[in-house]
């Protein structure tokens, strides 16, 4: 087992600076608040700048397939910054989950390579059609969709993150030959590059786009209906996907499909820890800033010993969270045998730290922290949503106990 490298490289620091600069200019808290109940699942202009112009959508994709040829370490840095800004973009769902699932298929096949190229370039957004709460481990989850011999899909999947506005849906389904992974294209991928296109993927009038969290189901393509749900976290829309004889193409058979889906869920859970880390860091930084400026009894409230202890304790939690998140990203980059353990540890710990940091941020801001005008509630909702995404902390602790052969206490 190799020694994990928890430090950031110079290239990773440069990537962080570039992403942070973009988000500071294009995605300040005021903009996120304004868009929280908007018509679009995400800002297509911001996504185009982040995914296509900066090339972050293709970090996990090899050069020969149209990507950047980077690793999970670089993707983790991007997710840290997206967590710091609770950025409403489909990076986790498209550039990590959907992309990793495609990488698990036969990339020598022209259709798979074409889809990967579209996602890596930012021309298209993809979504893995599984509930966001689906944990990794234990094999691929059972399919709730069935496939006919011609590939047409019928069924329903609920709680899918990133489905609204996605041009490529990767759907696990049970077909005549058993379990498989199928691709449903809701939009012709070439349309994103057509002359005169200004809004790009996910624009307000694009098929499948939800106007508000309560918008009725919207036909996205023949046989495909996206029903927006009302999520706790308005910056990461969820939807129920209804398929009725939807045209699809089979990408992988039983064994390969199960492995591809399992690999995508593992990578998503491991890199989600970096988003949770970035979220917690913003909460602590903002809380420290506020307690320095807010005065009571003629002195900054941050000088009160009780508050110092709370913030110092939170800082110690963040140090450990950074170590576990970086370990998970480094293990995923190396693709070594320690990946399951590193991912389970990262999710079991970072999810709790993110929620604690967001709760402290709201509480230590006092009355203003409880208002809609302050962004603290966005971080708390994202933290709580992330806590159950891709497996709860309890589910990951249970998985970790099995991985390290730690028996449960005798009942």
């Amino acid at each position: 087992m190799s020694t994990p490298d928890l430090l950031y490289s110079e290239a990773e620091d440069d990537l962080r600076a570039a992403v942070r600069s973009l988000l500071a200019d294009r995605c300040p808290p005021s903009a996120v608040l304004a868009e929280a109940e908007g018509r679009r699942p995400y800002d297509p202009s911001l996504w185009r700048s982040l995914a296509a112009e900066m090339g972050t959508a293709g970090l996990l994709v090899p050069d020969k397939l149209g990507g950047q040829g980077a690793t999970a370490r670089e993707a983790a840095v991007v997710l840290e910054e997206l967590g710091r800004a609770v950025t409403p973009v489909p990076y986790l769902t498209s550039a990590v989950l959907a992309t990793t699932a495609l990488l698990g298929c036969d990339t020598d096949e022209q259709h798979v390579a074409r889809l990967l190229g579209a996602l890596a370039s930012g021309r298209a957004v993809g979504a893995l059609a599984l509930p966001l709460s689906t944990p990794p481990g234990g094999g691929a989850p059972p399919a709730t969709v069935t496939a006919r011999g011609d590939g047409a899909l019928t069924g329903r999947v609920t709680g899918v993150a990133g489905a609204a506005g996605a041009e490529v849906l990767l759907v696990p389904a049970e077909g005549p030959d058993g379990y498989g992974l199928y691709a449903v294209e809701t939009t012709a991928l070439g349309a994103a590059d057509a002359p005169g296109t200004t809004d790009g993927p996910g624009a307000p009038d694009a098929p499948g786009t939800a106007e508000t969290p309560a918008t009725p189901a919207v036909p996205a393509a023949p046989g495909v209906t996206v029903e927006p749900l009302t999520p706790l976290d308005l910056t990461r829309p969820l939807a129920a996907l209804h398929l009725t004889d939807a045209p699809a193409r089979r990408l992988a058979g039983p064994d390969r499909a199960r492995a591809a889906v399992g690999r995508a869920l593992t990578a998503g859970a491991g890199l989600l820890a970096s988003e949770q880390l970035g979220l917690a860091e913003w909460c602590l930084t903002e809380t420290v800033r506020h307690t320095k400026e807010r005065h009571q009894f003629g002195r900054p409230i941050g000088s009160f010993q009780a508050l110092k202890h709370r913030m110092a304790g939170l800082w110690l939690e963040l140090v450990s969270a950074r170590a576990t998140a970086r370990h998970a990203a480094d293990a995923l980059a190396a693709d070594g045998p320690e990946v399951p353990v590193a991912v389970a540890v990262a999710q079991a710990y970072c999810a709790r730290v993110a929620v604690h940091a967001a709760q402290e941020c709201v509480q230590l801001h006092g009355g203003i922290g409880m208002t809609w005008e302050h962004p603290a509630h966005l971080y708390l909702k994202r933290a709580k949503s992330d806590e159950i995404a891709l497996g709860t902390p309890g589910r990951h602790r249970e998985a970790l106990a099995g991985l390290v052969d730690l028996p449960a206490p005798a009942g």
Side-chain angles (χ1 to χ4, degrees), residues 61-79:
V61 180
D63 296 336
K64 65 179 182 179
L65 296 172
Q68 305 300 319
T71 70
R73 290 176 59 94
E74 289 78 16
V77 169
V78 174
L79 280 163

Side-chain angles (χ1 to χ4, degrees), residues 180-204:
L181 185 64
Y182 295 77
V184 176
E185 296 182 31
T186 63
T187 304
L189 298 188
D193 293 329
T197 299
T198 56
D199 289 328

Side-chain angles (χ1 to χ4, degrees), residues 58 63 81 88 157 177 221 296 301 319 346 385:
D63 296 336
E81 294 307 309
V157 189
D177 299 323
Q296 196 173 66
I301 62 173
V319 171
S385 176

Side-chain angles (χ1 to χ4, degrees), residues 228-316:
L229 304 176
T230 303
L232 172 64
D233 175 16
L234 297 179
T235 65
R236 179 166 284 153
L238 302 178
L241 191 62
H242 301 267
L243 304 170
T244 306
D245 294 330
R249 184 161 182 170
R250 190 167 180 259
L251 302 178
D255 293 338
R256 191 155 201 166
R258 292 182 188 278
V261 172
R263 179 181 176 186
L265 294 173
T266 299
L271 292 177
L272 179 62
S274 291
E275 177 181 292
Q276 292 163 329
L277 169 63
L279 185 155
E281 287 181 332
W282 183 92
C283 289
L284 177 59
T285 300
E286 176 63 19
T287 302
V288 170
R289 183 201 63 77
H290 175 76
T291 56
K292 285 181 177 179
E293 297 177 356
R294 178 77 168 91
H295 283 66
Q296 196 173 66
F297 305 115
R299 55 189 290 196
I301 62 173
S303 65
F304 300 155
Q305 190 174 41
L307 299 192
K308 285 183 178 180
H309 286 173
R310 289 171 66 171
M311 289 183 284
L314 187 55
W315 182 84
L316 291 174

Side-chain angles (χ1 to χ4, degrees), residues 194-221:
T197 299
T198 56
D199 289 328
D205 297 327
T209 299
E211 292 187 358
T212 70
T215 301
V218 179

Side-chain angles (χ1 to χ4, degrees), residues 41-80:
Y42 61 89
D43 180 351
S45 176
L46 175 61
W47 174 247
R48 187 162 51 244
S49 297
L50 178 71
E53 296 173 10
M54 294 187 64
T56 62
L59 287 175
L60 299 179
V61 180
D63 296 336
K64 65 179 182 179
L65 296 172
Q68 305 300 319
T71 70
R73 290 176 59 94
E74 289 78 16
V77 169
V78 174
L79 280 163
E80 281 185 40

